[in-house]
């Protein structure tokens, strides 16, 4: 997928955000303000200075909307969910350079809350993916005990596990052992 730095970064951010949800089969990785702060720092969310309990509630709501986009049964449903999320944001495109990154576009307003920041930047990245006819790249891990989401960036759209080192390796070892027993 030939996307620029900002698109790749936003897609990775939305995947990481969704995978903090208990809806993906694990614990809530966004249960506290400290976890939200760590997420914002690790994803280099620019312009975030203070975080409030309200920010945490809003980010968790946005996270669940993104999860519904990834797990939508069809493209029209994904479009409807994403349009609803984007309609709630003040999308204000502007060119920027920061933190050593080349010139790129931010879609969130300068005074945006963390939730609006995520909804705008990640929502627009997902919108571009859908517009390009790449909806099938939004996937859920095929490992039976994992429900993490990912964006399949493989050339032939063949990726099935969220992480080849964990779920992929575990499933390949299990298949090998099953063959050996047979």
């Amino acid at each position: 997928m030939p996307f620029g730095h900002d698109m790749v970064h936003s897609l990775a951010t939305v995947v990481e955000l969704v995978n903090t949800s208990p809806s993906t089969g694990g614990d809530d990785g966004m249960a506290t303000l400290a976890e939200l702060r760590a997420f914002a720092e690790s994803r280099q969310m620019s312009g975030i200075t203070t975080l409030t309990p309200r920010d945490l509630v809003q980010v968790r709501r946005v996270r669940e909307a993104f999860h519904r986009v990834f797990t939508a049964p069809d493209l029209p449903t994904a479009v409807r969910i994403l349009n609803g999320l984007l309609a709630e944001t003040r999308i204000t495109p502007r060119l920027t350079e920061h933190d050593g990154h080349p010139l790129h576009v931010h879609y969130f307003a300068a005074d945006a809350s963390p939730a609006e920041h995520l909804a705008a930047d990640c929502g627009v990245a997902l919108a571009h993916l859908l517009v390009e006819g790449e909806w099938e790249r939004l996937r859920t891990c095929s490992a039976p005990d994992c429900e993490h989401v990912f964006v399949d960036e493989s050339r032939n759209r063949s990726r099935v596990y969220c992480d080849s080192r964990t779920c992929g390796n575990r499933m390949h070892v299990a298949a090998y052992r099953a063959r050996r027993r047979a």
Side-chain angles (χ1 to χ4, degrees):
M1 292 184 331
F3 295 124
H5 162 267
D6 50 335
M7 177 82 158
V8 171
H9 181 79
S10 293
L11 289 173
T13 298
V14 72
V15 165
E16 188 173 326
L17 176 65
V18 171
N19 286 335
T20 67
S21 173
S23 299
T24 61
D27 294 331
D28 188 348
M30 193 73 67
T32 66
L33 277 174
E35 288 171 324
L36 175 56
R37 186 171 292 104
F39 177 83
E41 289 171 5
S42 73
R43 296 310 308 164
Q44 299 177 336
M45 291 176 61
S46 59
I48 305 297
T49 53
T50 59
L51 295 170
T52 67
R54 182 171 186 226
D55 291 326
L56 182 61
V57 169
Q58 290 174 335
V59 166
R60 292 171 75 181
R61 187 185 61 77
V62 166
R63 174 186 69 183
E64 295 311 313
F66 281 136
H67 183 258
R68 289 191 305 277
V69 171
F70 271 85
T71 58
D74 52 41
L75 179 59
T77 303
V79 168
R80 182 181 49 75
I81 295 165
L82 191 54
N83 275 339
L85 184 61
L86 290 171
E88 296 175 7
T89 66
R90 294 174 295 148
I91 295 180
T92 310
R94 61 190 159 86
L95 295 170
T96 185
E97 291 178 291
H98 60 87
D99 299 322
H101 297 296
L103 190 64
H104 59 282
V105 180
H106 280 183
Y107 293 97
F108 57 92
D111 63 340
S113 70
E116 194 172 32
H117 176 133
L118 290 165
D121 268 6
C122 296
V124 168
L126 287 173
H128 281 291
L129 199 69
L130 300 183
V131 165
E132 293 297 323
E134 301 288 352
W135 177 70
E136 69 277 359
R137 290 187 184 273
L138 301 181
R139 304 260 174 95
T140 302
C141 186
S142 291
D145 58 342
C146 181
E147 296 178 40
H148 281 164
V149 301
F150 63 95
V151 176
D152 180 3
E153 296 181 48
S154 68
R155 180 176 255 176
N156 62 358
R157 297 178 179 93
S158 62
R159 186 172 158 198
V160 294
Y161 301 115
C162 65
D163 186 351
S164 61
R165 293 170 300 202
T166 54
C167 290
N169 188 49
R170 194 168 22 90
M171 297 309 297
H172 288 106
V173 167
Y176 171 78
R177 289 180 179 159
R179 285 190 307 271
R180 296 282 292 177
R181 281 191 299 265

